[in-house]
Amino acid sequence: MEEATRLVLSLEAAPHKLRCYLWHRDACPGAAIATEFAHALKESHVWALLITPSFVQDDWCKYVMHQVLAEGPMSNRMIPLLQNLPHTEYPVELRFYYYIDLSRNPDRGHSSVNKSVLRYLENLAQKELKSHRKLDMSESSSQKDKETLKQCSPATSTLPVTNVEEK
Amino acid sequence: MEEATRLVLSLEAAPHKLRCYLWHRDACPGAAIATEFAHALKESHVWALLITPSFVQDDWCKYVMHQVLAEGPMSNRMIPLLQNLPHTEYPVELRFYYYIDLSRNPDRGHSSVNKSVLRYLENLAQKELKSHRKLDMSESSSQKDKETLKQCSPATSTLPVTNVEEK
């Protein structure tokens, strides 16, 4: 849990101030667990999975992993993060994804997550701009372009970090 | 899907009666998709990928392809089969593997798959025999050798064919 909090604090810091969803901090008390997970997933651009020895033994963590995979196994929106986990215990379902090992250098790992999220958001903003221009070629679209960019800016993105150490 | 079924029926026929895993026929309902794929992969000797126009547009098909690659990119255990796919759409990740084009002569294609699997199993049996002999030089090992061969016989091999046309 501590590592998840550290990562979220690092992502929420200036200058980019990414908006994050952290289970034990942001989940709505009284809501159904599975519905709350599904809502967090739907409202987020990128999903970081902090995979630890506790993660691979916890059915709810596995549940979240499969929900993330079901959102799009090739979407490039899932970032697996490893911490203190022998390679032999790594989930077989995630074997081919490129992951970040936080055990070696946590700060560099946090920075890599930050960069990956920003890159994803920049690509998303560019795609939306292109499709917007195609749809609206005949109109003056400069004002709308600015609005699209604002919607996709890092400050309005969300990033859930699954609480993997304790729940 | 029809072509996958035809291939599997051909492989399961006498005299070799290869044991196959076909997604839409053999998957366990209620299991997590990614786990079911991982299990089928682990339990099989050889993996045939039926690559069609639907395959290259389906994220789960791409997921399986990457899982197969992660099992060992140079293992000689993956057989790419092409059907009705222009060469320009062939997955870039598989460019250098020798593939079988089922569009031209399906029966010859099925026969080639059969031969490739049998060759793989024969090599596997020979390797196991050799390593067994090394380990057991001082004992009379004729009975054990027969058992090893039996374990690796075609009748006990498995071959998953990904369901690429429909899911």
Side-chain angles (χ1 to χ4, degrees):
Chain A
M1 191 149 85
E2 277 178 19
E3 183 50 43
T5 306
R6 269 195 294 272
L7 171 63
V8 162
L9 291 178
S10 144
L11 295 171
E12 288 179 335
H16 299 301
K17 296 183 181 174
L18 293 165
R19 182 152 57 85
C20 300
Y21 177 96
L22 183 61
W23 178 259
H24 59 272
R25 184 190 68 178
D26 302 317
C28 178
I33 294 174
T35 310
E36 187 71 11
F37 277 144
H39 183 73
L41 241 65
K42 192 171 169 249
E43 295 298 313
S44 302
H45 285 294
V46 178
W47 311 294
L49 294 178
L50 180 54
I51 305 170
T52 64
S54 310
F55 181 102
V56 295
Q57 289 179 349
D58 185 307
D59 265 8
W60 278 114
C61 289
K62 288 182 203 160
Y63 176 90
V64 170
M65 178 186 79
H66 284 291
Q67 285 282 49
V68 167
L69 281 172
E71 285 287 319
M74 304 306 295
S75 66
N76 285 354
R77 291 168 68 188
M78 177 182 64
I79 304 175
L81 305 163
L82 248 67
Q83 199 193 30
N84 304 329
L85 191 79
H87 188 70
T88 48
E89 289 179 30
Y90 190 62
V92 288
E93 296 88 347
L94 307 181
R95 274 187 75 176
F96 69 82
Y97 294 102
Y98 186 54
Y99 63 77
I100 296 170
D101 192 344
L102 290 180
S103 315
R104 294 179 188 178
N105 188 335
D107 289 340
R108 198 164 63 185
H110 298 173
S111 168
S112 294
V113 178
N114 215 325
K115 277 183 197 164
S116 302
V117 178
L118 292 175
R119 199 182 311 126
Y120 173 83
L121 293 170
E122 278 163 17
N123 288 340
L124 186 68
Q126 281 174 3
K127 274 184 201 164
E128 293 207 5
L129 266 179
K130 273 186 195 168
S131 74
H132 187 260
R133 277 192 186 129
K134 274 184 193 166
L135 283 170
D136 206 17
M137 278 292 277
S138 58
E139 293 176 30
S140 163
S141 57
S142 58
Q143 185 53 37
K144 284 181 185 169
D145 285 354
K146 280 177 195 162
E147 282 169 16
T148 307
L149 260 175
K150 196 178 162 195
Q151 279 163 19
C152 297
S153 74
T156 61
S157 74
T158 58
L159 184 128
V161 177
T162 57
N163 165 15
V164 292
E165 296 290 349
E166 297 162 34
K167 271 214 305 275
Chain B
M1 190 149 85
E2 278 178 18
E3 183 52 41
T5 306
R6 268 195 294 271
L7 170 64
V8 162
L9 291 178
S10 144
L11 295 171
E12 288 178 334
H16 299 300
K17 295 183 181 174
L18 293 164
R19 182 153 56 87
C20 300
Y21 176 96
L22 182 61
W23 177 260
H24 60 273
R25 184 191 69 177
D26 302 317
C28 177
I33 296 174
T35 309
E36 187 71 9
F37 279 143
H39 183 71
L41 241 66
K42 192 173 168 245
E43 294 298 312
S44 301
H45 286 294
V46 178
W47 313 293
L49 294 178
L50 180 54
I51 305 170
T52 65
S54 310
F55 181 101
V56 294
Q57 288 180 347
D58 187 306
D59 266 7
W60 278 115
C61 289
K62 287 182 204 160
Y63 174 89
V64 170
M65 179 184 79
H66 284 290
Q67 285 283 53
V68 168
L69 282 171
E71 285 287 319
M74 304 309 293
S75 66
N76 285 356
R77 291 169 69 189
M78 178 182 65
I79 305 175
L81 305 163
L82 248 67
Q83 197 193 31
N84 304 328
L85 190 80
H87 188 70
T88 49
E89 289 178 32
Y90 190 63
V92 288
E93 296 89 345
L94 306 182
R95 278 184 75 175
F96 72 82
Y97 294 103
Y98 186 51
Y99 62 79
I100 296 170
D101 193 344
L102 290 181
S103 315
R104 295 180 187 176
N105 188 334
D107 289 340
R108 198 165 62 187
H110 299 174
S111 169
S112 294
V113 178
N114 216 323
K115 277 182 198 164
S116 303
V117 178
L118 292 174
R119 199 182 311 126
Y120 174 81
L121 292 170
E122 279 162 17
N123 287 340
L124 187 68
Q126 281 174 6
K127 274 183 202 165
E128 293 207 4
L129 267 180
K130 273 185 194 168
S131 74
H132 188 260
R133 278 192 185 127
K134 274 184 194 166
L135 283 170
D136 205 18
M137 280 291 276
S138 58
E139 292 177 30
S140 162
S141 57
S142 59
Q143 184 55 35
K144 284 182 186 170
D145 283 356
K146 279 177 197 162
E147 280 170 17
T148 307
L149 258 176
K150 196 178 162 196
Q151 279 162 22
C152 296
S153 74
T156 60
S157 74
T158 59
L159 183 127
V161 176
T162 57
N163 166 12
V164 292
E165 296 290 347
E166 298 161 36
K167 269 211 307 272

